[in-house]
């Protein structure tokens, strides 16, 4: 076995041991070393360079590529455990070629769909809906039927429709434990969405209903949230009044400048034609 | 009636002696001479005309005809002759003799002492067209690859026109064999070469082929990155411009930029030649979905175009479901035509439409009722969920926030109260509608002006009567051919 490969293998074993112990600092250090070592294998994705070692690195792909793919899969999970979304994005993009370009040289990974679903969830949390749909287009119809992918797709659908309670109840039915971090982030987004919709749709809500709707366990939490996020809401007689917020919205003005510009452009174009 | 037919049959031989229609080989030789003239005079227009004539002749191409033509154009022992002949199936001896006999009136000397690159590349194109028409896709793939290798070493303005057609069939032959991803690197290299050589027609064609290549594998992100960084210039070919608009429309649709996508797709459908019905159907399918996603309902007439009714039927039923705002009807339509939508690659877009169906349903409810319970809203929308009332409440709240309906919610009583429909003329809507229509008309006018072609003024006064007559004749011929431009590209 190539000494470089041996070193990677040993480092990865140490990484996994630290990962099981939840020693994430050590994991991060070992992962950095592993990534540096992996840059030496030019025949690996995304380069697939035709090196003298290529045969050794790729023809026995069943022995070598899965562990390397495994490294990146662990890296993705580690970034979730560390709650580092930027690291997640970097690691996911390093892993992606193993799922797309090297799929014919490798047996399918059991972690593929959970990680692809996790990435979709991240895009949803970050409100990158266009990218969410672009990623979705890359998935086969079989992949779309997978519970992990389906979970993310249904979440997006519910979120866009406004069925927020469906989004929140989905936290209880996550297909993978790594999803919890993003689901918690999504819950915060949902709370802000519900607040935004409520102030437009209701004249007032009782504190009890508002607390239930905005997912707070105590009145105190609700009052703090209103104080920080929506000071324009008014609390009196045990109810939250949104009327003040509605009144503060400016009445629609006539877009005079826009109209002047348009009229002048019509005149200019007419002059050019006639 | 039968007597008339018999008389016609008897009359035919006497006519055939006096006016023998020129054979396919004869036509090809004429085209070769046009290419030769175009090459020497460096007139790209002549080469383009030769290609138009070729596409009109495409159905008449046979192995013996091509073999004879290769013998006529290429030096017999030359490498191009050997290579191109190897791609052709061995013609039956008798057939070949007959073909040669029919053209004995023409001089059998090669078109030029030394082989013109234009003619060599033209031969590649002919053989490639023949192989594709004969469904010999693997041979076509080999032939197209050989032609591209040869093309890379040539840098002549007059070759560029033929090259752009070759690029198209190169990609097409690989697509037919299911190996489209293989040539992506090569297409990128060719695009780079075309850019460095200022071959704008080549760039235009190759950019579209690359976009098609990426979109074939749903790589929308890469397609957009390439498109945004590729050099821009005035469109040279209407067909290529239509394709570009279509691909860009698809990219914009996936990226949720529906307003841009709608304009691009409708423009592509409008600009496409009337003969390119398949292309127009594709444009209309995507345009219908985009309009539905925008909350618009396409006019019924779109689905009733001649030759399109059958293809657009699934989309018509889908539109109907969205128009009514019935989730059950929508679900039935998506299940019934699921395979069609998957084949058209519009399934994921249709999943997005569910949201619009709900919105339309809500709008209809808010117009019909001044007050309605949330339980009834859920029932009317046919929301199949664990807690339909809670779902309908939050859905209605979001619709109010987004301005889809003008209403308010009463949580305590659990109902939705609709507000009176306002006067639309007291809003900015009419002004916006007027502005968009004026902008559309002005844009069309400006494009028409830009598309006008003016003849060069130089040396006009030196032109004698004979030359003028010849020029007019050429212009009329060109106009006739432009009218029936090679629609088979689509």
């Amino acid at each position: 076995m190539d000494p470089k490969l041996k070193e990677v293998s040993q480092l990865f074993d140490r990484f996994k041991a630290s990962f099981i112990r939840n020693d994430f600092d050590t994991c991060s250090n070992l992962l950095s070393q592993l990534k540096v070592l992996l840059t030496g294998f030019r025949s690996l994705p995304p380069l697939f360079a035709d090196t003298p070692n290529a045969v050794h690195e790729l023809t026995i792909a069943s022995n070598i590529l899965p562990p390397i793919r495994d490294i990146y899969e662990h890296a993705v999970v580690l970034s979730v455990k560390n709650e580092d979304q930027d690291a997640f994005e970097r690691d996911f993009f390093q892993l992606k070629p193993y799922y797309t370009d090297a799929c014919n040289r490798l047996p399918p990974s059991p972690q593929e769909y959970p990680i692809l679903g996790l990435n979709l969830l991240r895009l949803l949390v970050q409100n990158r809906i266009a990218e969410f749909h672009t990623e979705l287009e890359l998935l086969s119809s079989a992949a779309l039927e997978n519970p992990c992918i389906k979970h993310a797709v249904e979440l997006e659908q519910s979120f866009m429709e406004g069925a927020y309670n469906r989004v929140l109840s989905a936290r209880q039915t996550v297909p993978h434990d790594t999803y919890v971090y993003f689901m918690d982030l999504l819950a915060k987004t949902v709370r802000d969405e519900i607040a935004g919709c409520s102030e437009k749709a209701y004249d007032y809500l009782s504190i009890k209903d508002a607390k239930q709707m905005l997912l707070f366990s105590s009145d105190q939490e609700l009052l703090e949230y209103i104080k920080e996020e929506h000071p324009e809401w008014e609390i009196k007689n045990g109810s939250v009044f949104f009327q003040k917020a509605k009144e503060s919205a400016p009445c629609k003005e006539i877009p005079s400048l826009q109209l002047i510009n348009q009229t002048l452009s019509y005149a200019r174009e007419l002059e050019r034609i006639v | 009636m039968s007597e008339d037919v018999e008389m016609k049959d008897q009359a035919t031989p006497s006519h055939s002696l006096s006016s023998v229609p020129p054979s396919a080989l004869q036509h090809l030789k004429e085209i070769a001479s046009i290419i030769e003239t175009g090459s020497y005079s460096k007139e790209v227009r002549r080469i383009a005309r030769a290609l138009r004539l070729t596409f009109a002749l495409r159905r008449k191409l046979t192995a013996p005809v091509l073999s004879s033509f290769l013998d006529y154009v290429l030096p017999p022992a030359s490498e191009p002759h050997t290579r191109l002949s190897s791609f052709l199936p061995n013609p039956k001896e008798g057939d070949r003799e007959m073909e040669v006999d029919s053209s004995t009136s023409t001089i059998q000397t090669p078109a030029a002492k030394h082989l013109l690159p234009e003619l060599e590349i033209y031969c590649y194109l002919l053989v490639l067209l023949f192989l594709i028409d004969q469904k010999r896709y693997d041979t076509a793939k080999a032939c197209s690859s050989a032609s591209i290798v040869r093309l890379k070493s040539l840098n002549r303005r007059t070759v560029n026109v033929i090259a752009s057609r070759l690029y198209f069939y190169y990609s097409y032959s690989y697509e037919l064999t299911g190996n489209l991803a293989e040539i992506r690197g090569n297409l990128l290299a060719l695009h780079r070469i075309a850019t460095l050589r200022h071959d704008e027609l080549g760039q235009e064609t190759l950019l579209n082929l690359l976009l098609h290549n990426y979109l074939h594998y749903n790589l929308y992100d890469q397609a957009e990155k390439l498109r945004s960084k590729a050099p821009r210039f005035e469109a040279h070919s209407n067909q290529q411009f239509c394709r570009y608009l279509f691909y860009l429309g698809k990219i914009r649709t996936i990226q949720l930029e529906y307003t841009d996508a709608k304009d691009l797709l409708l423009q592509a459908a409008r600009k496409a030649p009337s003969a390119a019905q398949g292309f127009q159907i594709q444009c209309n399918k995507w345009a219908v979905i985009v309009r539905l996603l925008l909350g618009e309902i396409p006019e019924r007439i779109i689905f009733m175009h001649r030759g399109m009714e059958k293809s657009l039927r699934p989309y018509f039923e889908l539109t109907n479901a969205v128009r009514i705002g019935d989730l059950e009807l929508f679900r039935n339509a998506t299940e019934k035509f699921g395979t069609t939508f998957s084949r058209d690659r519009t399934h994921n877009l249709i999943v997005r439409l569910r949201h619009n169906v709900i919105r339309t349903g809500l709008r209809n409810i808010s117009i019909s009722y001044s007050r309605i319970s949330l339980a009834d809203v859920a029932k009317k929308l046919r929301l199949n969920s664990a807690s339909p009332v809670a779902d309908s409440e939050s859905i209605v709240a979001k619709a109010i926030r987004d301005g889809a309906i003008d209403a308010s919610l009463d949580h305590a009583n659990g109902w939705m109260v609709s507000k009176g429909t306002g006067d639309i003329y007291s809003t900015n809507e009419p002004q916006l509608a007027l502005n968009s229509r004026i902008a559309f008309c002005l844009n069309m006018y400006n494009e028409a002006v830009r598309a006008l072609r003016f003849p060069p003024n130089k040396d006009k006064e030196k032109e004698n009567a004979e030359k003028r007559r010849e020029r007019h004749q050429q212009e009329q011929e060109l106009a006739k051919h432009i009218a029936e431009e090679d629609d088979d590209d689509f």
Side-chain angles (χ1 to χ4, degrees):
Chain A
M1 196 184 196
D2 190 303
K4 266 188 180 178
L5 281 169
K6 200 173 185 182
E7 193 181 347
V8 167
S9 184
Q10 286 169 351
L11 261 177
F12 188 40
D13 288 338
R14 282 169 60 199
F15 171 86
K16 278 196 279 192
S18 304
F19 193 84
I20 292 161
R21 288 199 310 272
N22 287 346
D23 182 0
F24 299 138
D25 290 335
T26 311
C27 280
S28 298
N29 292 331
L30 289 169
L31 185 63
S32 300
Q33 292 174 51
L34 275 167
K35 283 183 180 178
V36 171
L37 278 172
L38 289 176
T39 57
F41 302 104
R42 297 182 62 77
S43 63
L44 295 177
L47 292 173
F48 290 111
D50 213 0
T51 60
N53 255 7
V55 177
H56 192 56
E57 290 166 24
L58 283 173
T59 49
I60 29 171
S62 54
N63 299 331
I64 290 149
L65 277 180
I68 290 170
R69 180 180 63 189
D70 209 15
I71 292 169
Y72 288 119
E73 285 176 343
H74 274 76
V76 167
V77 177
L78 178 66
S79 64
V80 175
K81 303 262 189 197
N82 286 333
E83 301 186 356
D84 185 347
Q85 291 186 46
D86 293 336
F88 179 97
E89 189 164 2
R90 283 194 303 274
D91 294 329
F92 176 77
F93 281 121
Q94 282 179 301
L95 172 63
K96 205 177 174 185
Y98 288 86
Y99 293 152
T100 52
D101 305 340
C103 59
N104 52 350
R105 309 167 193 231
L106 282 165
S109 164
Q111 291 299 308
E112 181 174 353
Y113 291 134
I115 286 173
L116 289 174
L118 201 56
N119 181 53
L120 289 173
L121 196 53
R122 172 186 68 91
L123 293 170
L124 186 57
V125 166
Q126 293 176 349
N127 200 28
R128 288 156 69 174
I129 307 297
E131 285 171 68
F132 177 95
H133 284 288
T134 306
E135 285 295 318
L136 209 58
E137 288 295 323
L138 295 171
L139 301 173
S140 64
S141 48
L144 291 170
E145 289 305 309
N146 184 278
C148 296
I149 307 294
K150 219 172 188 177
H151 179 262
V153 173
E154 284 171 2
L155 266 179
E156 190 266 348
Q157 229 178 335
S158 303
F159 193 77
M160 289 301 142
E161 282 168 20
Y164 298 123
N165 55 320
R166 246 187 280 161
V167 176
L168 297 166
S169 62
R171 193 195 181 285
Q172 272 66 55
T173 57
V174 286
H176 206 268
D177 57 350
T178 48
Y179 283 48
V180 175
Y181 164 62
F182 285 120
M183 288 305 294
D184 289 343
L185 288 176
L186 197 59
K188 288 175 191 168
T189 312
V190 166
R191 179 177 288 152
D192 294 335
E193 282 286 312
I194 292 170
C197 293
S198 299
E199 73 176 12
K200 291 279 187 291
Y202 302 98
D203 291 331
Y204 67 91
L205 275 173
S206 69
I207 285 181
K208 181 173 167 276
D209 289 334
K211 182 178 73 178
Q212 190 187 330
M213 251 184 214
L214 294 169
L215 323 160
F216 289 114
S217 50
S218 69
D219 292 2
Q220 191 55 40
E221 282 180 2
L222 172 68
L223 296 173
E224 273 176 30
Y225 175 77
I226 292 171
K227 193 180 173 184
E228 281 176 29
E229 302 290 331
H230 298 279
E232 70 278 10
W233 294 358
E234 208 175 353
I235 298 162
K236 59 180 180 189
N237 307 332
S239 294
V240 180
F241 285 84
F242 306 109
Q243 208 59 42
K244 200 175 164 192
K246 284 180 186 173
E247 282 163 13
S248 65
C251 60
K252 280 186 181 174
E253 288 179 23
I254 294 168
S256 50
L257 196 67
Q258 189 188 351
L259 284 170
I260 292 164
N261 278 328
Q262 283 173 359
T263 314
L264 286 172
S265 74
Y266 300 156
R268 191 166 52 250
E269 291 288 348
L270 264 174
E271 194 177 12
R272 196 185 298 165
I273 294 166
V274 180
Chain B
M1 282 283 286
S2 59
E3 275 181 29
D4 283 350
V5 173
E6 278 168 22
M7 279 174 73
K8 270 185 185 172
D9 286 348
Q10 286 166 350
T12 311
S14 63
H15 282 297
S16 64
L17 291 170
S18 57
S19 60
V20 179
S23 67
L25 183 60
Q26 189 63 43
H27 277 303
L28 285 175
K29 287 177 181 179
E30 284 167 17
I31 291 167
S33 71
I34 293 170
I35 291 172
E36 198 181 341
T37 314
S39 171
Y40 287 128
S41 61
K42 292 187 171 58
E43 278 186 277
V44 176
R45 202 163 49 86
R46 282 182 187 273
I47 311 285
R49 181 170 158 240
L51 283 181
R52 277 195 295 275
L53 291 168
T54 305
F55 286 109
L57 201 66
R58 186 171 173 174
R59 291 204 182 112
K60 295 177 187 172
L61 296 179
T62 61
V65 167
L66 283 175
S67 201
S68 302
F69 182 68
L70 292 180
D71 292 344
Y72 170 75
V73 171
L74 306 172
S78 66
E79 194 220 349
H81 185 283
T82 315
R83 190 185 294 125
L84 283 166
S85 299
S86 71
F87 294 128
L88 292 173
N90 290 327
K92 294 169 196 166
E93 288 304 313
D95 286 357
R96 184 152 178 187
E97 276 167 23
M98 278 173 70
E99 205 39 79
V100 173
D101 286 347
S102 70
S103 58
T104 45
S105 58
T106 58
I107 305 153
Q108 287 295 314
T109 54
K113 290 280 190 292
H114 63 281
L115 176 61
L116 285 171
E118 287 83 357
L119 281 173
E120 184 190 341
I121 297 302
Y122 177 69
C123 288
Y124 271 111
L125 179 63
L126 276 181
V127 172
L128 188 50
L129 284 173
F130 169 74
L131 292 170
I132 288 170
D133 290 344
Q134 294 295 309
K135 295 183 170 54
R136 298 171 186 268
Y137 300 135
D138 288 314
T139 319
K141 199 167 93 170
C143 176
S144 66
S145 298
S147 71
I148 294 299
V149 170
R150 179 73 184 98
L151 261 178
K152 279 182 179 176
S153 61
L154 296 172
N155 183 11
R156 287 164 74 115
R157 279 278 165 270
T158 42
V159 169
N160 291 347
V161 186
I162 310 172
S164 70
R165 308 303 320 126
L166 262 179
Y167 298 144
F168 173 79
Y169 288 107
Y170 170 55
S171 174
Y172 187 49
S173 60
Y174 272 81
E175 186 178 353
L176 290 168
T177 51
N179 308 109
L180 201 52
E182 276 179 33
I183 60 165
R184 198 177 297 149
N186 220 346
L187 289 176
L188 285 163
L190 287 166
H191 185 266
R192 187 168 61 246
I193 292 166
T195 307
L196 292 170
R197 290 175 179 173
H198 302 286
D199 168 15
E200 292 191 349
L201 182 59
Q203 283 179 69
E204 198 174 32
T205 307
L206 287 160
L207 177 61
N208 279 340
L209 292 175
L210 280 161
L211 290 178
H212 175 68
N213 198 308
Y214 284 124
L215 298 187
H216 184 80
Y217 295 99
N218 289 343
L219 299 167
Y220 288 91
D221 196 33
Q222 282 95 316
E224 172 55 19
K225 279 173 181 162
L226 170 75
R227 188 211 63 78
S228 63
K229 288 175 176 61
R232 286 179 182 80
F233 42 78
E234 278 295 308
H236 285 255
S237 154
N238 183 50
Q239 277 93 337
Q240 295 303 334
F241 187 50
C242 285
R243 276 206 192 92
Y244 177 76
L245 291 171
F246 176 59
Y247 295 144
L248 185 52
K250 282 176 87 168
I251 293 167
R252 289 282 175 267
T253 306
I254 298 300
Q255 292 176 331
L256 287 86
E257 292 174 28
Y258 300 134
T259 312
D260 286 355
K262 181 187 125 180
D263 292 343
L264 290 160
L265 291 164
L266 291 176
Q267 199 182 349
R270 267 200 308 271
K271 280 183 180 288
S274 51
Q277 203 166 37
F279 180 78
Q280 284 184 330
I281 287 169
Q282 280 298 318
C283 287
N284 280 321
K285 281 177 181 178
W286 280 74
V288 163
I289 291 177
V290 168
R291 289 182 72 178
L292 290 173
L293 285 164
L294 275 169
E296 299 174 14
I297 304 296
E299 303 79 28
R300 186 178 281 261
I301 198 163
I302 288 170
F303 304 98
M304 302 304 165
H305 284 312
R306 231 183 43 240
M308 291 192 196
E309 306 102 311
K310 193 165 176 277
S311 304
L312 294 177
R313 182 81 201 162
Y315 296 88
F316 175 69
E317 294 207 13
L318 200 66
T319 303
N320 212 27
V322 176
R323 185 178 59 82
I324 297 163
D326 188 335
L327 266 180
E328 196 58 44
L329 199 63
F330 174 74
R331 231 175 267 126
N332 292 342
T334 50
E335 279 171 24
K336 185 179 172 186
F337 301 108
T339 48
T340 309
F341 298 141
S342 296
R343 193 173 60 244
D344 292 343
R345 299 190 186 193
T346 52
H347 190 268
N348 287 351
L349 296 175
I350 285 153
V351 169
R352 295 186 206 178
L353 266 178
R354 186 188 139 89
H355 171 219
N356 292 65
V357 178
I358 292 170
R359 281 285 161 92
T360 312
L362 269 180
R363 213 173 291 134
N364 293 344
I365 291 167
S366 86
I367 291 165
S368 307
Y369 298 89
S370 59
R371 190 173 76 189
I372 183 170
S373 74
L374 292 167
D376 287 342
V377 169
K379 209 177 287 176
K380 284 187 181 295
L381 290 177
R382 305 206 208 183
L383 295 173
N384 296 349
S385 63
S387 50
V389 178
D391 274 358
S392 68
E393 185 170 4
S394 56
I395 286 168
V396 170
K398 190 172 193 287
I400 293 168
R401 202 258 323 250
D402 295 345
I405 56 170
D406 197 9
S408 67
L409 285 169
D410 186 334
H411 182 73
N413 295 309
W415 60 49
M416 174 181 100
V417 182
S418 299
K419 292 172 184 170
T421 51
D423 175 19
I424 198 160
Y425 289 99
S426 63
T427 68
N428 297 328
E429 282 297 313
Q431 172 59 26
L432 291 171
L434 175 72
N435 185 54
S436 72
R437 288 174 186 190
I438 290 175
F440 172 77
C441 293
L442 288 173
N443 186 40
M444 186 177 276
Y445 172 80
N446 290 334
E447 275 192 22
V449 169
R450 225 177 285 141
L452 288 172
R453 289 179 187 173
F454 300 99
N457 284 326
K458 57 176 183 176
D459 307 328
K460 245 191 181 170
E461 59 281 352
K462 294 177 188 173
E463 197 174 47
N464 60 29
E466 196 181 323
K467 273 189 180 173
R468 198 180 299 119
R469 207 177 306 118
E470 192 185 324
R471 183 171 58 78
H472 280 307
Q473 197 180 335
Q474 274 184 359
E475 279 172 6
Q476 279 176 339
E477 209 175 308
L478 185 66
K480 195 176 103 182
H481 284 301
I482 284 171
E484 53 195 44
E485 208 167 1
D486 46 332
D487 299 324
D488 67 323
D489 292 358
F490 281 92

